[in-house]
Amino acid sequence: MWSKFNRESSGPGALLGDAAAFVSRRWPLDRSTPLLPTSASSCAYSPLPSGPPGGMSIGSGPHQRGKGAEQGDAEAGYKLASRGSGGQLQFNGAGTPRPRVASSLSLSATLRKSLLLAIVLLVGYSIGAFNHRCSLSTSASGRSFVQQLTAALAGGGDGGHGSSSSGGGGGFGGFGGTDGSGSSSRAWGTAGAGGSSSGLGDFAPVNKTLRFPVCNGFANQRLSILYGMVLAKRLGRAAVLPVLVDNGLQRGDSAVLATANNQIPFEEMYDLPHFVSSMAGAGVHVLRPADAPPANTVLRLAGLSRGQQGGVSEALATTYASIRHIAIDCPLFKLGAEEMQPGFEPLVWATLNGLRPSKEAAALVDKISRAISSKAAALSRGSISSTGSGTGSGSASAAAAAAVAAAAASAADANLLTAAGAAAGGGGAIRVARSRALQAASDWAAAAYGPARPFNFIHLRIENDWIEHCRRWESIRDGIVRDNCYRHTEEVAAQLALFGFSNSTPLYVGSYWDDVEPGRREQALAKLRAAGYILVTSADVFPSSSSSSSAGGAAGASGAGGAAAAAAAPNPLEGRGREYRAMIEYFVGLRAQRFIGNSVSTFAALAMLERRRAGRWAAYYNGGNIPLASVLPLLHRLPWVFTYNSWSGQYDYLLKGAVRSALATRSFQPYCIFMGNESAAIHTWLVAHNVTVISHTPAWREQLLALAGRKAQNNVAHSHLYKTPDSLVSTFQRVDLPVVPVLDQYSYVLYTDADVFFRRPIRLDDFGLPLPRSVSMSYEMDPMFPYNAGVIVANLPVMRANYKAFIAMMLDPGASEGLYYPGYGPADQGIINKFYESDLRGRMLNQLFNAKPYSTFDASAYILHFHGPKPHEYAAYLNTGQCDFKGLCEKAFAMSLCRYTREWARWVPEEPVALRLGDACGLLDNPAFQRLRGPTS
C-alpha cells in the first residue's frame, strides 16, 4: 500500500491526496450506511446515567430506543469527553466509589492500637445509637444500622469530598431527613431513615453539624440559606436551621444579623416540614435549633472569606475536619463561583424550591394575588367613569380586559403558545413548542407558586437605602465595570414598552415605600400613569396608616372614596416585619404574568432566575449584566438562539452536534427560530432535546424576495444563500431576534449559526464588561471590518428600539444592490454591518467566540464555527480534491481542522463523516506516514 504514494510530490495538497487515496478506499462516503452497530463494539457510544442540567431527565442515549431515546446523548457525550484518567476506583457494597487502598499483612503497633480504638468507638457509637432510638433492624432501604455504618466507614466516614452524591450510602452530604410525619429527628448524632423518594438512598450516620446565621434583607437571607446548605453538603455535616432577620434594612456595608429584638422563627416564614424533606431528598440533614447539640459544644469560627486559598469550603473541610460542631459567619457570597460545582445544581434548586411560604403566608400570597386583580378592576372602572363613560360600559370594559389578561396568562403556561404574529412583526401565528422538560417545570411552577395571575409585576428600586447602595457599589475600584445599578430607573415606563408590556394589563409596583422619598415616589408613579398603566401597590392591597400616607394609595387614581375604602380594609400584614412583607411580595411576583426588576438587586435577580427556570417570563429594566449570575452561575442559563428550517436536512448532523455540545456545558437555554414543516423529524428532535422551538414567518418576507429578485443572478455569485427564496428568508430570520415572542424577556442573547459546536461553558460576563451597546461580532477570515454574523452577542432592547429603522434600511432599494450591500457584504450579514457599523467598529467580539478550523488552533476557544466548508465538504475534498471555498479546505487541513474535528466527533458519533475525517486526520498525523511521505513545503 505504501508504495502507491507518490514520494516525489510535495506540498499540503499532495499530502492530502495521498491520505485521500487511503481513506476513500477504507471509508467510502455513504451517509446511508449506519456508523455504529447496535451490539457492543469498540467504538460504541455509551451514555452515562448522570442527570441533565437542573435535574431534568433527557433520556438515555441515541442507540437505546426505549423511553426518552436520544435525549441523553448530549449529557452522555460530555461525560465521556470529560472522563478523567486518574486513579482507579473501587465500589463498596452501597455503590459508592472509594479509592483503592493497598493492604498490608504486617500491622505495626500503632496500627494495631488504631484498630482497637476504632472497634471501641464502633461499639460505643452503636450503644449511643440505641439510646437515640436508632434501630438495629433494617431501615426503609432494607439495610441495618450496622450495614449503614459499615458502608459509611468504607465510603469515607463523614462524607468526604470525593464520594458520590448519588450512591447508596455514605458520601458527600450528611444523613437522614425526616420521620414519617416530615419532622426532623431529635437525635442529631444518628442516621435518618430516609424519607426521600429522590433515589439518593439513605445517608451515612454523621455526628457533625454546621451552624450559620443569615444576614440582611429577604433575598440575601434566602441566599444565605442556600450557601449554608451547599456548605453542609460539601462538608458532610448536618445543617442547623438559623433564625431569620425580621428587618434587614442596610444603611451601610455592615451585615444585619438577627438579634433578640430583630428576629423571626424560620417556620413563621417558611414551610418547615417541606424544607426538611426537600433537603433530605438532596442529601442534607436539617436540624431545628432545639434538636441541635448544646451551644457550649460548638466551635465558632470567624474571618472566613472568598479570597483565601482553596476557598472557604476547602478550608473548612481540611483545617476543621476533626471538629464535631462548628459555627461560621453569615455564608452569603462566601463561596466563590469556582466552588459552586455543577454537581451542586440539584441541591441549589432543591433548596430554593424547598423555601416555600408557610401555610399562613401562602394563604396571604393567594389572597393578595386575587386582591390585586380586584383592585385593578375597581381602578379601571373608576378611571372610565371619570372620563364620562357609563358604569355599565366601564364594567364591561374592565371585565373584557380582565378576560384578555387571564387568557394571556393561561397561554403563557401552555405548551403551545399562539400569539398574534402582526404584533411581533410576523406574518401569521407564532407557535412556540416547549420541550417536555420545560413544560414539566412550568407545570411544577403552577403547582408550587399557583397559576399565573392576570397582572404584571415591577420591582422598582427607588428606596433611599438603594440609592446609597448604588453610590457605594459603583464606586468600588476593583477593575469590574459596575454601571447599571440605577440605569433606566427614571425612564422605566419606556423600558416597559421596549419589553412589550401592555398597559391594559394591571401593573403591580413593588417597593419598600416606607423608605422612598415622597417626591421620588410620586414622580415614578406619575410617569407610569401617564403611560396608561393601571397601577396597584401594597398600599392598595394591605394598607396601613403609614403605608397609605406614604404610598399615596398607590396610583392615586381611585379617588378619595377608594382611599377611604382602602384605609378601612383590614390589613393582613399588621404587625409583620419588613422581611415578612418582602417574602409575600416575592411570591406574589412569582405568580405574576410578567415580572421585571433591577438585575443588581438580589430580590429581583433571584425572582427572575427562579421564574425563568420555571418557564415564566422575567426581565430586568436596568440593562447590563446580572451580578448574581456571576457569583452563582448554577442559577443562570445564557439564552442561545439559532435559526433553522425543515428543508436543510443535509445540515441536520451539524445542528445536532451544536445542540448536544451546548446542553453538555450546562450553561445555555437553547431556542430555535424555525421555518417550514413542524412535523419534520428535526423539529421533533429539537423539542425532545430541550430546545424551545419558535415557528416564525417574518412580515417582510414578500418584500424581501421582491427586492432580491431584481438582481437574482448577480446575487448567487456573491453568496450561496441567494440560491432559493426559502434559503434567503431563512438566513434573514436572525434580524427578527428582537421581536420574536419568548425572546423578548432577555436583554442579551447569544446567536450562532447551526454549524458550530461549544467547547466550554459561557456566562454572560465572559463577553467582557461593559456588555455591547447593540450588537457585537468578530472578523470573518481576516482581522478587518466588515465582520462575520455567524456569532452575535445581541442587545435585544436596543435592537427592538431600532427595529423599524433597521427594516426600512434593509428593504430600501437604494441601500443595496438586490440585497447585496457593497462594502458590507451579502444578505443579513451585510445589512447588520451597515446599520450597526459604528457600534461594531467600536467593540469587536473576541475571536475566542468564533474560532475557525482554517485558523490557528486555540485551546481557549469557546465556540468552533465551521465557517465556509462544512465537515462533509472537507470529506468530499479528500475524494475529489475540489473545494468550493477556494483554498480554505487545504488551509484547514494544514491548520487546526484535525484537532477541532476530534473534539466535534464526540457530539456526532453516529455520523460517517465524523469517523471518516477522524481517520484521515489520524493518518495525516501518523509519524510513520510523515516519514514515508517525506518533507513537505
Side-chain angles (χ1 to χ4, degrees):
M1 178 180 68
W2 296 110
S3 63
K4 295 183 180 295
F5 290 127
N6 180 6
R7 297 179 59 86
E8 302 299 324
S9 61
S10 62
L15 182 62
L16 289 172
D18 292 344
F22 170 72
V23 175
S24 61
R25 286 192 296 272
R26 181 175 177 187
W27 291 103
L29 187 59
D30 181 3
R31 295 174 59 83
S32 64
T33 302
L35 173 64
L36 297 179
T38 55
S39 60
S41 68
S42 60
C43 59
Y45 183 72
S46 176
L48 298 182
S50 59
M56 298 179 181
S57 175
I58 55 174
S60 58
H63 300 294
Q64 297 178 359
R65 294 299 162 193
K67 183 178 180 181
E70 276 206 353
Q71 287 179 276
D73 50 7
E75 186 73 2
Y78 182 72
K79 293 296 183 183
L80 287 170
S82 60
R83 182 181 293 171
S85 58
Q88 294 177 321
L89 296 177
Q90 291 179 325
F91 289 81
N92 60 25
T96 305
R98 58 182 174 85
R100 177 178 294 171
V101 180
S103 61
S104 174
L105 296 178
S106 58
L107 303 178
S108 65
T110 301
L111 183 56
R112 287 196 298 271
K113 291 179 181 179
S114 299
L115 289 174
L116 179 61
L117 178 60
I119 294 171
V120 172
L121 290 175
L122 178 62
V123 173
Y125 194 90
S126 301
I127 295 173
F130 275 114
N131 292 336
H132 286 89
R133 298 177 295 142
C134 186
S135 175
L136 283 171
S137 62
T138 58
S139 67
S141 67
R143 292 191 299 161
S144 70
F145 171 73
V146 173
Q147 288 173 325
Q148 294 179 55
L149 181 60
T150 304
L153 293 173
D158 59 4
H161 179 61
S163 54
S164 170
S165 62
S166 59
F172 196 55
F175 53 93
T178 60
D179 56 25
S181 65
S183 59
S184 62
S185 169
R186 297 188 62 86
W188 51 264
T190 68
S196 167
S197 60
S198 67
L200 292 175
D202 294 320
F203 308 108
V206 177
N207 60 350
K208 294 183 178 182
T209 63
L210 173 70
R211 294 175 184 251
F212 60 91
V214 296
C215 52
N216 308 332
F218 163 77
N220 280 0
Q221 293 183 60
R222 194 170 174 86
L223 289 170
S224 299
I225 296 170
L226 188 156
Y227 277 104
M229 295 302 113
V230 171
L231 270 175
K233 176 95 171 183
R234 165 68 177 86
L235 302 175
R237 294 176 178 269
V240 180
L241 277 179
V243 294
L244 306 180
V245 182
D246 198 31
N247 185 341
L249 182 64
Q250 288 179 275
R251 297 298 187 186
D253 292 328
S254 299
V256 178
L257 303 172
T259 64
N261 299 320
N262 185 22
Q263 64 174 266
I264 180 172
F266 184 96
E267 56 268 27
E268 285 193 25
M269 289 185 67
Y270 294 114
D271 184 337
L272 179 57
H274 175 72
F275 181 72
V276 171
S277 177
S278 294
M279 291 300 92
V284 178
H285 189 63
V286 174
L287 300 173
R288 297 182 180 92
D291 300 332
N296 59 7
T297 66
V298 178
L299 176 65
R300 302 191 177 277
L301 308 174
L304 296 174
S305 62
R306 286 175 56 186
Q308 62 191 67
Q309 185 175 5
V312 169
S313 59
E314 184 65 23
L316 292 174
T318 54
T319 307
Y320 303 101
S322 61
I323 307 300
R324 293 180 64 191
H325 311 299
I326 61 175
I328 61 174
D329 295 334
C330 178
L332 179 67
F333 302 136
K334 293 292 179 65
L335 296 181
E338 67 282 355
E339 296 181 80
M340 303 300 287
Q341 303 163 6
F344 288 136
E345 185 173 354
L347 171 62
V348 165
W349 288 112
T351 303
L352 293 175
N353 296 340
L355 289 171
R356 71 184 187 188
S358 64
K359 291 182 179 179
E360 178 186 1
L364 277 177
V365 171
D366 185 63
K367 180 178 180 180
I368 290 169
S369 297
R370 285 185 275 107
I372 292 172
S373 302
S374 300
K375 188 64 178 180
L379 291 172
S380 178
R381 287 194 298 271
S383 176
I384 293 172
S385 297
S386 67
T387 60
S389 299
T391 302
S393 173
S395 176
S397 299
V404 170
S410 177
D413 284 335
N415 185 44
L416 196 62
L417 174 65
T418 302
I430 297 173
R431 293 167 300 281
V432 181
R434 304 168 87 178
S435 67
R436 289 189 295 270
L438 189 57
Q439 183 58 38
S442 179
D443 294 341
W444 175 88
Y449 306 146
R453 304 294 300 182
F455 62 86
N456 293 329
F457 188 112
I458 179 172
H459 189 245
L460 190 61
R461 295 312 307 261
I462 56 175
E463 307 93 336
N464 294 330
D465 76 310
W466 182 254
I467 292 174
E468 176 60 23
H469 168 78
C470 288
R471 185 192 64 78
R472 296 193 310 270
W473 190 72
E474 292 183 349
S475 66
I476 298 174
R477 297 291 178 260
D478 59 356
I480 298 176
V481 176
R482 295 181 171 88
D483 60 356
N484 61 331
C485 191
Y486 204 71
R487 186 194 295 168
H488 301 320
T489 303
E490 302 293 343
E491 60 272 6
V492 72
Q495 291 299 305
L496 293 181
L498 281 178
F499 280 98
F501 276 66
S502 170
N503 57 14
S504 64
T505 302
L507 181 64
Y508 183 89
V509 186
S511 193
Y512 183 50
W513 298 110
D514 292 351
D515 194 41
V516 179
E517 290 293 333
R520 189 184 311 120
R521 177 196 65 237
E522 291 306 322
Q523 182 183 34
L525 295 177
K527 289 181 178 179
L528 290 170
R529 287 197 298 270
Y533 289 100
I534 303 169
L535 303 184
V536 182
T537 74
S538 57
D540 294 295
V541 292
F542 41 86
S544 65
S545 57
S546 60
S547 62
S548 293
S549 60
S550 63
S558 56
N571 178 13
L573 294 178
E574 188 68 42
R576 290 295 188 178
R578 176 181 184 265
E579 309 317 326
Y580 190 93
R581 290 169 175 261
M583 178 191 67
I584 297 299
E585 283 201 327
Y586 186 87
F587 283 95
V588 168
L590 293 183
R591 286 192 175 194
Q593 180 180 331
R594 287 189 169 205
F595 176 95
I596 192 168
N598 186 315
S599 68
V600 179
S601 165
T602 52
F603 182 103
L606 189 58
M608 177 179 64
L609 297 176
E610 287 200 57
R611 282 181 60 96
R612 284 182 178 176
R613 184 175 184 271
R616 293 191 170 181
W617 197 101
Y620 57 96
Y621 60 77
N622 58 309
N625 67 336
I626 310 170
L628 181 62
S630 64
V631 295
L632 268 174
L634 298 181
L635 293 178
H636 183 245
R637 289 280 194 271
L638 180 67
W640 165 50
V641 186
F642 56 92
T643 62
Y644 206 66
N645 55 65
S646 60
W647 55 81
S648 297
Q650 70 270 31
Y651 299 110
D652 286 0
Y653 76 100
L654 280 168
L655 179 60
K656 291 180 179 181
V659 170
R660 289 166 177 163
S661 64
L663 292 177
T665 69
R666 296 174 175 243
S667 64
F668 296 105
Q669 182 65 49
Y671 295 92
C672 174
I673 302 176
F674 191 83
M675 285 185 64
N677 182 6
E678 294 171 38
S679 299
I682 191 61
H683 186 283
T684 303
W685 187 94
L686 289 169
V687 174
H689 283 73
N690 293 328
V691 178
T692 298
V693 183
I694 307 168
S695 296
H696 172 64
T697 301
W700 37 256
R701 174 188 169 94
E702 298 307 319
Q703 294 170 275
L704 182 85
L705 294 178
L707 185 60
R710 297 181 180 184
K711 294 194 175 183
Q713 296 301 320
N714 292 340
N715 287 339
V716 172
H718 289 301
S719 173
H720 65 287
L721 300 173
Y722 292 97
K723 288 183 178 179
T724 68
D726 284 336
S727 295
L728 183 61
V729 174
S730 180
T731 192
F732 266 88
Q733 283 270 60
R734 79 191 83 186
V735 307
D736 269 4
L737 283 174
V739 298
V740 171
V742 182
L743 300 182
D744 59 355
Q745 65 186 298
Y746 295 111
S747 291
Y748 286 92
V749 302
L750 171 67
Y751 168 86
T752 76
D753 287 344
D755 55 347
V756 303
F757 79 90
F758 295 88
R759 303 182 68 248
R760 299 168 56 190
I762 301 177
R763 310 296 177 186
L764 184 58
D765 288 9
D766 290 335
F767 298 119
L769 299 178
L771 292 166
R773 201 189 74 82
S774 56
V775 297
S776 183
M777 307 188 303
S778 57
Y779 60 81
E780 197 151 40
M781 287 179 281
D782 300 312
M784 58 184 294
F785 185 84
Y787 298 147
N788 174 248
V791 179
I792 306 173
V793 178
N795 184 329
L796 294 191
V798 171
M799 292 183 70
R800 198 170 298 126
N802 295 330
Y803 182 75
K804 186 176 181 180
F806 179 92
I807 297 299
M809 178 183 285
M810 183 180 82
L811 299 176
D812 181 4
S816 69
E817 297 179 359
L819 293 180
Y820 180 81
Y821 301 86
Y824 297 97
D828 60 322
Q829 178 169 296
I831 185 59
I832 293 173
N833 274 291
K834 182 178 178 66
F835 189 89
Y836 290 108
E837 179 177 3
S838 177
D839 289 347
L840 288 169
R841 287 183 179 273
R843 172 74 179 274
M844 188 184 76
L845 182 65
N846 194 308
Q847 196 67 12
L848 294 176
F849 298 101
N850 196 352
K852 318 289 196 317
Y854 51 75
S855 299
T856 304
F857 178 82
D858 194 329
S860 300
Y862 291 90
I863 299 172
L864 188 282
H865 180 195
F866 285 106
H867 176 251
K870 312 309 176 203
H872 64 275
E873 291 170 314
Y874 285 118
Y877 174 63
L878 292 174
N879 279 343
T880 66
Q882 301 298 315
C883 180
D884 290 339
F885 296 88
K886 300 181 180 179
L888 287 185
C889 287
E890 185 171 315
K891 184 178 181 182
F893 276 103
M895 298 296 288
S896 59
L897 174 64
C898 286
R899 296 188 66 178
Y900 286 126
T901 294
R902 292 188 188 97
E903 297 178 2
W904 168 74
R906 298 167 182 167
W907 308 116
V908 287
E910 73 278 15
E911 290 298 323
V913 66
L915 194 56
R916 177 176 168 79
L917 278 179
D919 204 39
C921 288
L923 180 61
L924 290 170
D925 294 341
N926 190 304
F929 177 80
Q930 294 289 350
R931 288 193 299 271
L932 289 171
R933 183 66 191 84
T936 60
S937 56

